[in-house]
Amino acid sequence: MRKYILILVACALAATSCNLDDQFSATNVTDLVTVYSNTMLINDYNTSYTITTDETDHLWQKGDRLMILFDIHNRDYEITLKDYAKCVICVPENISGEEPVLGTDPVLIDACTISGGYVNCEITYYFKKGSNAAHLIDMVYMDDGTNLHLYISHNGNEENPSKMNKNDLDTVTVPYSFQIAGLVPSGESRRLSLTMNILNENNEVESKTYSLLSEPVRF
């Protein structure tokens, strides 16, 4: 992802509709979409965008989930696609009855939304400069009937400031979409929590749990 897109938003229209002028235009809008065809993108709220101008490398294909930056030209949602990042889609694994393992390395969640049956996270993590070692990020969950407990695990070869000099490290930010649709029986509700390893002010890795929403989510 290049310089344009900085944060995730739940829905572009919710953030920009009040700014649309009489021509129904808007600039530098962001949204999460699924690629429907070579020129059509559909967001999590079934709004269809038609690409009339593509300023990207177009290295995306049908079925990809993208975080996009674009301009809206008219009320038909014809757009100029200016930039994008492919979301890494992850299906959480059920670990009911097991102690969750969060990996050895911290993550930073720059933004988090829930839409389209996903928990969408913009994740930043450290990596050693010049290293090609894989960084494995995934999610596991436990459902106790009232709460859906989500856990992000990051195994990155201990390439983080708790183990290495920060001058030898760099960071990367990657959008992830963790699929929660289907984890709970249809029609039931759960409160959502997210647990992950973070880097505290003393450069130590510690586990922290956050509530994702104040109200339960209905599945």
Side-chain angles (χ1 to χ4, degrees), residues 103-132:
T104 59
D105 296 273
V107 295
L108 171 65
I109 304 295
D110 296 312
C112 186
T113 65
I114 299 173
S115 63
Y118 297 93
V119 172
N120 307 292
C121 298
E122 193 173 64
I123 296 179
T124 295
Y125 60 85
Y126 289 93
F127 67 94
K128 182 180 178 181
K129 293 178 180 178
S131 172
N132 293 319

PDB file of all heavy atoms in Angstrom, residues 103-132:
ATOM      1  N   GLY A 103       1.452 -16.586  20.226  1.00  0.00           N
ATOM      2  CA  GLY A 103       2.696 -16.377  19.505  1.00  0.00           C
ATOM      3  C   GLY A 103       3.691 -15.609  20.349  1.00  0.00           C
ATOM      4  O   GLY A 103       3.449 -15.277  21.514  1.00  0.00           O
ATOM      5  N   THR A 104       4.829 -15.297  19.747  1.00  0.00           N
ATOM      6  CA  THR A 104       5.922 -14.680  20.497  1.00  0.00           C
ATOM      7  C   THR A 104       6.049 -13.183  20.274  1.00  0.00           C
ATOM      8  O   THR A 104       6.819 -12.523  20.968  1.00  0.00           O
ATOM      9  CB  THR A 104       7.257 -15.333  20.090  1.00  0.00           C
ATOM     10  OG1 THR A 104       7.453 -15.162  18.671  1.00  0.00           O
ATOM     11  CG2 THR A 104       7.267 -16.817  20.412  1.00  0.00           C
ATOM     12  N   ASP A 105       5.286 -12.637  19.327  1.00  0.00           N
ATOM     13  CA  ASP A 105       5.535 -11.267  18.903  1.00  0.00           C
ATOM     14  C   ASP A 105       4.290 -10.386  19.038  1.00  0.00           C
ATOM     15  O   ASP A 105       3.161 -10.858  18.919  1.00  0.00           O
ATOM     16  CB  ASP A 105       6.021 -11.257  17.451  1.00  0.00           C
ATOM     17  CG  ASP A 105       7.355 -11.957  17.295  1.00  0.00           C
ATOM     18  OD1 ASP A 105       8.387 -11.295  17.461  1.00  0.00           O
ATOM     19  OD2 ASP A 105       7.355 -13.169  17.022  1.00  0.00           O
ATOM     20  N   PRO A 106       4.505  -9.076  19.237  1.00  0.00           N
ATOM     21  CA  PRO A 106       3.386  -8.153  19.407  1.00  0.00           C
ATOM     22  C   PRO A 106       2.829  -7.682  18.072  1.00  0.00           C
ATOM     23  O   PRO A 106       3.460  -7.802  17.029  1.00  0.00           O
ATOM     24  CB  PRO A 106       4.026  -6.984  20.161  1.00  0.00           C
ATOM     25  CG  PRO A 106       5.434  -6.954  19.631  1.00  0.00           C
ATOM     26  CD  PRO A 106       5.812  -8.398  19.424  1.00  0.00           C
ATOM     27  N   VAL A 107       1.620  -7.127  18.145  1.00  0.00           N
ATOM     28  CA  VAL A 107       1.015  -6.440  17.005  1.00  0.00           C
ATOM     29  C   VAL A 107       0.457  -5.117  17.510  1.00  0.00           C
ATOM     30  O   VAL A 107       0.219  -4.931  18.704  1.00  0.00           O
ATOM     31  CB  VAL A 107      -0.110  -7.256  16.335  1.00  0.00           C
ATOM     32  CG1 VAL A 107       0.436  -8.524  15.718  1.00  0.00           C
ATOM     33  CG2 VAL A 107      -1.229  -7.563  17.318  1.00  0.00           C
ATOM     34  N   LEU A 108       0.246  -4.212  16.592  1.00  0.00           N
ATOM     35  CA  LEU A 108      -0.434  -2.952  16.875  1.00  0.00           C
ATOM     36  C   LEU A 108      -1.629  -2.862  15.939  1.00  0.00           C
ATOM     37  O   LEU A 108      -1.486  -2.998  14.723  1.00  0.00           O
ATOM     38  CB  LEU A 108       0.497  -1.758  16.633  1.00  0.00           C
ATOM     39  CG  LEU A 108      -0.157  -0.369  16.690  1.00  0.00           C
ATOM     40  CD1 LEU A 108      -0.668  -0.067  18.090  1.00  0.00           C
ATOM     41  CD2 LEU A 108       0.825   0.715  16.234  1.00  0.00           C
ATOM     42  N   ILE A 109      -2.824  -2.671  16.511  1.00  0.00           N
ATOM     43  CA  ILE A 109      -4.029  -2.496  15.710  1.00  0.00           C
ATOM     44  C   ILE A 109      -4.243  -0.996  15.509  1.00  0.00           C
ATOM     45  O   ILE A 109      -4.584  -0.270  16.444  1.00  0.00           O
ATOM     46  CB  ILE A 109      -5.256  -3.118  16.391  1.00  0.00           C
ATOM     47  CG1 ILE A 109      -5.017  -4.597  16.691  1.00  0.00           C
ATOM     48  CG2 ILE A 109      -6.491  -2.932  15.515  1.00  0.00           C
ATOM     49  CD1 ILE A 109      -4.863  -5.462  15.476  1.00  0.00           C
ATOM     50  N   ASP A 110      -4.024  -0.531  14.278  1.00  0.00           N
ATOM     51  CA  ASP A 110      -4.179   0.891  13.980  1.00  0.00           C
ATOM     52  C   ASP A 110      -5.643   1.272  13.832  1.00  0.00           C
ATOM     53  O   ASP A 110      -6.025   2.413  14.087  1.00  0.00           O
ATOM     54  CB  ASP A 110      -3.434   1.246  12.680  1.00  0.00           C
ATOM     55  CG  ASP A 110      -1.936   1.043  12.821  1.00  0.00           C
ATOM     56  OD1 ASP A 110      -1.371   1.518  13.822  1.00  0.00           O
ATOM     57  OD2 ASP A 110      -1.326   0.405  11.944  1.00  0.00           O
ATOM     58  N   ALA A 111      -6.478   0.347  13.382  1.00  0.00           N
ATOM     59  CA  ALA A 111      -7.905   0.596  13.222  1.00  0.00           C
ATOM     60  C   ALA A 111      -8.607  -0.748  13.166  1.00  0.00           C
ATOM     61  O   ALA A 111      -8.027  -1.753  12.753  1.00  0.00           O
ATOM     62  CB  ALA A 111      -8.182   1.401  11.958  1.00  0.00           C
ATOM     63  N   CYS A 112      -9.872  -0.769  13.592  1.00  0.00           N
ATOM     64  CA  CYS A 112     -10.620  -2.019  13.616  1.00  0.00           C
ATOM     65  C   CYS A 112     -12.088  -1.718  13.379  1.00  0.00           C
ATOM     66  O   CYS A 112     -12.656  -0.806  13.997  1.00  0.00           O
ATOM     67  CB  CYS A 112     -10.429  -2.710  14.959  1.00  0.00           C
ATOM     68  SG  CYS A 112     -11.159  -4.357  15.065  1.00  0.00           S
ATOM     69  N   THR A 113     -12.714  -2.452  12.458  1.00  0.00           N
ATOM     70  CA  THR A 113     -14.142  -2.314  12.183  1.00  0.00           C
ATOM     71  C   THR A 113     -14.756  -3.699  12.059  1.00  0.00           C
ATOM     72  O   THR A 113     -14.050  -4.701  11.901  1.00  0.00           O
ATOM     73  CB  THR A 113     -14.396  -1.539  10.875  1.00  0.00           C
ATOM     74  OG1 THR A 113     -13.900  -2.306   9.768  1.00  0.00           O
ATOM     75  CG2 THR A 113     -13.720  -0.170  10.886  1.00  0.00           C
ATOM     76  N   ILE A 114     -16.095  -3.745  12.118  1.00  0.00           N
ATOM     77  CA  ILE A 114     -16.824  -4.982  11.903  1.00  0.00           C
ATOM     78  C   ILE A 114     -17.823  -4.734  10.779  1.00  0.00           C
ATOM     79  O   ILE A 114     -18.690  -3.863  10.888  1.00  0.00           O
ATOM     80  CB  ILE A 114     -17.560  -5.430  13.174  1.00  0.00           C
ATOM     81  CG1 ILE A 114     -16.554  -5.690  14.300  1.00  0.00           C
ATOM     82  CG2 ILE A 114     -18.381  -6.701  12.904  1.00  0.00           C
ATOM     83  CD1 ILE A 114     -17.203  -5.982  15.640  1.00  0.00           C
ATOM     84  N   SER A 115     -17.683  -5.471   9.686  1.00  0.00           N
ATOM     85  CA  SER A 115     -18.596  -5.325   8.551  1.00  0.00           C
ATOM     86  C   SER A 115     -18.441  -6.512   7.629  1.00  0.00           C
ATOM     87  O   SER A 115     -17.382  -7.143   7.577  1.00  0.00           O
ATOM     88  CB  SER A 115     -18.320  -4.022   7.772  1.00  0.00           C
ATOM     89  OG  SER A 115     -17.027  -4.034   7.204  1.00  0.00           O
ATOM     90  N   GLY A 116     -19.515  -6.822   6.913  1.00  0.00           N
ATOM     91  CA  GLY A 116     -19.461  -7.888   5.915  1.00  0.00           C
ATOM     92  C   GLY A 116     -19.200  -9.265   6.470  1.00  0.00           C
ATOM     93  O   GLY A 116     -18.787 -10.168   5.735  1.00  0.00           O
ATOM     94  N   GLY A 117     -19.439  -9.460   7.775  1.00  0.00           N
ATOM     95  CA  GLY A 117     -19.155 -10.754   8.388  1.00  0.00           C
ATOM     96  C   GLY A 117     -17.699 -10.915   8.790  1.00  0.00           C
ATOM     97  O   GLY A 117     -17.255 -12.036   9.057  1.00  0.00           O
ATOM     98  N   TYR A 118     -16.955  -9.801   8.852  1.00  0.00           N
ATOM     99  CA  TYR A 118     -15.532  -9.821   9.200  1.00  0.00           C
ATOM    100  C   TYR A 118     -15.235  -8.853  10.340  1.00  0.00           C
ATOM    101  O   TYR A 118     -15.904  -7.822  10.487  1.00  0.00           O
ATOM    102  CB  TYR A 118     -14.671  -9.397   8.008  1.00  0.00           C
ATOM    103  CG  TYR A 118     -14.731 -10.282   6.797  1.00  0.00           C
ATOM    104  CD1 TYR A 118     -15.631 -10.018   5.769  1.00  0.00           C
ATOM    105  CD2 TYR A 118     -13.880 -11.369   6.662  1.00  0.00           C
ATOM    106  CE1 TYR A 118     -15.683 -10.814   4.634  1.00  0.00           C
ATOM    107  CE2 TYR A 118     -13.915 -12.176   5.532  1.00  0.00           C
ATOM    108  CZ  TYR A 118     -14.823 -11.897   4.524  1.00  0.00           C
ATOM    109  OH  TYR A 118     -14.868 -12.690   3.403  1.00  0.00           O
ATOM    110  N   VAL A 119     -14.215  -9.179  11.106  1.00  0.00           N
ATOM    111  CA  VAL A 119     -13.530  -8.183  11.916  1.00  0.00           C
ATOM    112  C   VAL A 119     -12.343  -7.721  11.081  1.00  0.00           C
ATOM    113  O   VAL A 119     -11.455  -8.514  10.740  1.00  0.00           O
ATOM    114  CB  VAL A 119     -13.050  -8.762  13.260  1.00  0.00           C
ATOM    115  CG1 VAL A 119     -12.163  -7.760  13.997  1.00  0.00           C
ATOM    116  CG2 VAL A 119     -14.243  -9.148  14.130  1.00  0.00           C
ATOM    117  N   ASN A 120     -12.351  -6.447  10.721  1.00  0.00           N
ATOM    118  CA  ASN A 120     -11.330  -5.891   9.837  1.00  0.00           C
ATOM    119  C   ASN A 120     -10.307  -5.121  10.664  1.00  0.00           C
ATOM    120  O   ASN A 120     -10.675  -4.193  11.394  1.00  0.00           O
ATOM    121  CB  ASN A 120     -11.980  -4.956   8.817  1.00  0.00           C
ATOM    122  CG  ASN A 120     -13.114  -5.622   8.069  1.00  0.00           C
ATOM    123  OD1 ASN A 120     -12.893  -6.539   7.288  1.00  0.00           O
ATOM    124  ND2 ASN A 120     -14.346  -5.181   8.327  1.00  0.00           N
ATOM    125  N   CYS A 121      -9.066  -5.504  10.561  1.00  0.00           N
ATOM    126  CA  CYS A 121      -8.012  -4.893  11.361  1.00  0.00           C
ATOM    127  C   CYS A 121      -6.865  -4.426  10.471  1.00  0.00           C
ATOM    128  O   CYS A 121      -6.427  -5.160   9.579  1.00  0.00           O
ATOM    129  CB  CYS A 121      -7.455  -5.878  12.384  1.00  0.00           C
ATOM    130  SG  CYS A 121      -8.645  -6.472  13.601  1.00  0.00           S
ATOM    131  N   GLU A 122      -6.398  -3.229  10.739  1.00  0.00           N
ATOM    132  CA  GLU A 122      -5.182  -2.745  10.095  1.00  0.00           C
ATOM    133  C   GLU A 122      -4.043  -2.998  11.073  1.00  0.00           C
ATOM    134  O   GLU A 122      -3.917  -2.329  12.099  1.00  0.00           O
ATOM    135  CB  GLU A 122      -5.315  -1.256   9.776  1.00  0.00           C
ATOM    136  CG  GLU A 122      -4.245  -0.742   8.828  1.00  0.00           C
ATOM    137  CD  GLU A 122      -4.523   0.691   8.413  1.00  0.00           C
ATOM    138  OE1 GLU A 122      -4.510   1.563   9.292  1.00  0.00           O
ATOM    139  OE2 GLU A 122      -4.766   0.937   7.227  1.00  0.00           O
ATOM    140  N   ILE A 123      -3.232  -4.008  10.773  1.00  0.00           N
ATOM    141  CA  ILE A 123      -2.240  -4.512  11.712  1.00  0.00           C
ATOM    142  C   ILE A 123      -0.841  -4.041  11.321  1.00  0.00           C
ATOM    143  O   ILE A 123      -0.405  -4.210  10.184  1.00  0.00           O
ATOM    144  CB  ILE A 123      -2.274  -6.054  11.766  1.00  0.00           C
ATOM    145  CG1 ILE A 123      -3.634  -6.524  12.306  1.00  0.00           C
ATOM    146  CG2 ILE A 123      -1.139  -6.593  12.631  1.00  0.00           C
ATOM    147  CD1 ILE A 123      -3.778  -8.023  12.379  1.00  0.00           C
ATOM    148  N   THR A 124      -0.146  -3.461  12.294  1.00  0.00           N
ATOM    149  CA  THR A 124       1.255  -3.078  12.117  1.00  0.00           C
ATOM    150  C   THR A 124       2.121  -3.989  12.979  1.00  0.00           C
ATOM    151  O   THR A 124       1.788  -4.270  14.132  1.00  0.00           O
ATOM    152  CB  THR A 124       1.472  -1.612  12.528  1.00  0.00           C
ATOM    153  OG1 THR A 124       0.741  -0.752  11.643  1.00  0.00           O
ATOM    154  CG2 THR A 124       2.951  -1.232  12.463  1.00  0.00           C
ATOM    155  N   TYR A 125       3.228  -4.449  12.396  1.00  0.00           N
ATOM    156  CA  TYR A 125       4.166  -5.257  13.176  1.00  0.00           C
ATOM    157  C   TYR A 125       5.596  -4.946  12.763  1.00  0.00           C
ATOM    158  O   TYR A 125       5.856  -4.387  11.698  1.00  0.00           O
ATOM    159  CB  TYR A 125       3.872  -6.757  13.022  1.00  0.00           C
ATOM    160  CG  TYR A 125       3.962  -7.300  11.617  1.00  0.00           C
ATOM    161  CD1 TYR A 125       5.182  -7.715  11.070  1.00  0.00           C
ATOM    162  CD2 TYR A 125       2.813  -7.442  10.831  1.00  0.00           C
ATOM    163  CE1 TYR A 125       5.254  -8.236   9.787  1.00  0.00           C
ATOM    164  CE2 TYR A 125       2.881  -7.963   9.552  1.00  0.00           C
ATOM    165  CZ  TYR A 125       4.103  -8.349   9.043  1.00  0.00           C
ATOM    166  OH  TYR A 125       4.163  -8.855   7.769  1.00  0.00           O
ATOM    167  N   TYR A 126       6.527  -5.295  13.639  1.00  0.00           N
ATOM    168  CA  TYR A 126       7.957  -5.088  13.387  1.00  0.00           C
ATOM    169  C   TYR A 126       8.536  -6.253  12.595  1.00  0.00           C
ATOM    170  O   TYR A 126       8.072  -7.390  12.696  1.00  0.00           O
ATOM    171  CB  TYR A 126       8.721  -4.980  14.709  1.00  0.00           C
ATOM    172  CG  TYR A 126       8.461  -3.713  15.481  1.00  0.00           C
ATOM    173  CD1 TYR A 126       7.470  -3.667  16.458  1.00  0.00           C
ATOM    174  CD2 TYR A 126       9.214  -2.565  15.245  1.00  0.00           C
ATOM    175  CE1 TYR A 126       7.229  -2.501  17.184  1.00  0.00           C
ATOM    176  CE2 TYR A 126       8.979  -1.403  15.956  1.00  0.00           C
ATOM    177  CZ  TYR A 126       7.991  -1.371  16.918  1.00  0.00           C
ATOM    178  OH  TYR A 126       7.756  -0.215  17.631  1.00  0.00           O
ATOM    179  N   PHE A 127       9.581  -5.952  11.824  1.00  0.00           N
ATOM    180  CA  PHE A 127      10.371  -6.998  11.184  1.00  0.00           C
ATOM    181  C   PHE A 127      11.816  -6.523  11.082  1.00  0.00           C
ATOM    182  O   PHE A 127      12.091  -5.317  11.049  1.00  0.00           O
ATOM    183  CB  PHE A 127       9.817  -7.358   9.800  1.00  0.00           C
ATOM    184  CG  PHE A 127       9.942  -6.262   8.767  1.00  0.00           C
ATOM    185  CD1 PHE A 127      11.027  -6.208   7.904  1.00  0.00           C
ATOM    186  CD2 PHE A 127       8.976  -5.266   8.676  1.00  0.00           C
ATOM    187  CE1 PHE A 127      11.139  -5.208   6.961  1.00  0.00           C
ATOM    188  CE2 PHE A 127       9.079  -4.250   7.729  1.00  0.00           C
ATOM    189  CZ  PHE A 127      10.170  -4.224   6.878  1.00  0.00           C
ATOM    190  N   LYS A 128      12.731  -7.466  11.053  1.00  0.00           N
ATOM    191  CA  LYS A 128      14.151  -7.149  10.977  1.00  0.00           C
ATOM    192  C   LYS A 128      14.487  -6.642   9.587  1.00  0.00           C
ATOM    193  O   LYS A 128      14.095  -7.232   8.581  1.00  0.00           O
ATOM    194  CB  LYS A 128      14.988  -8.396  11.286  1.00  0.00           C
ATOM    195  CG  LYS A 128      16.500  -8.153  11.272  1.00  0.00           C
ATOM    196  CD  LYS A 128      17.243  -9.446  11.592  1.00  0.00           C
ATOM    197  CE  LYS A 128      18.753  -9.220  11.530  1.00  0.00           C
ATOM    198  NZ  LYS A 128      19.493 -10.468  11.814  1.00  0.00           N
ATOM    199  N   LYS A 129      15.199  -5.526   9.510  1.00  0.00           N
ATOM    200  CA  LYS A 129      15.588  -4.963   8.225  1.00  0.00           C
ATOM    201  C   LYS A 129      16.407  -5.976   7.432  1.00  0.00           C
ATOM    202  O   LYS A 129      17.360  -6.563   7.948  1.00  0.00           O
ATOM    203  CB  LYS A 129      16.405  -3.683   8.429  1.00  0.00           C
ATOM    204  CG  LYS A 129      15.619  -2.536   9.034  1.00  0.00           C
ATOM    205  CD  LYS A 129      16.488  -1.309   9.255  1.00  0.00           C
ATOM    206  CE  LYS A 129      15.690  -0.165   9.867  1.00  0.00           C
ATOM    207  NZ  LYS A 129      16.532   1.024  10.142  1.00  0.00           N
ATOM    208  N   GLY A 130      16.030  -6.194   6.190  1.00  0.00           N
ATOM    209  CA  GLY A 130      16.745  -7.126   5.329  1.00  0.00           C
ATOM    210  C   GLY A 130      16.359  -8.573   5.509  1.00  0.00           C
ATOM    211  O   GLY A 130      16.833  -9.437   4.765  1.00  0.00           O
ATOM    212  N   SER A 131      15.459  -8.864   6.467  1.00  0.00           N
ATOM    213  CA  SER A 131      15.064 -10.246   6.720  1.00  0.00           C
ATOM    214  C   SER A 131      13.940 -10.670   5.788  1.00  0.00           C
ATOM    215  O   SER A 131      13.036  -9.886   5.489  1.00  0.00           O
ATOM    216  CB  SER A 131      14.609 -10.398   8.173  1.00  0.00           C
ATOM    217  OG  SER A 131      14.048 -11.676   8.388  1.00  0.00           O
ATOM    218  N   ASN A 132      13.994 -11.911   5.344  1.00  0.00           N
ATOM    219  CA  ASN A 132      12.918 -12.486   4.532  1.00  0.00           C
ATOM    220  C   ASN A 132      12.109 -13.519   5.312  1.00  0.00           C
ATOM    221  O   ASN A 132      11.330 -14.269   4.725  1.00  0.00           O
ATOM    222  CB  ASN A 132      13.497 -13.131   3.270  1.00  0.00           C
ATOM    223  CG  ASN A 132      14.090 -12.105   2.316  1.00  0.00           C
ATOM    224  OD1 ASN A 132      13.508 -11.039   2.117  1.00  0.00           O
ATOM    225  ND2 ASN A 132      15.240 -12.429   1.737  1.00  0.00           N
TER     226      ASN A 132
END
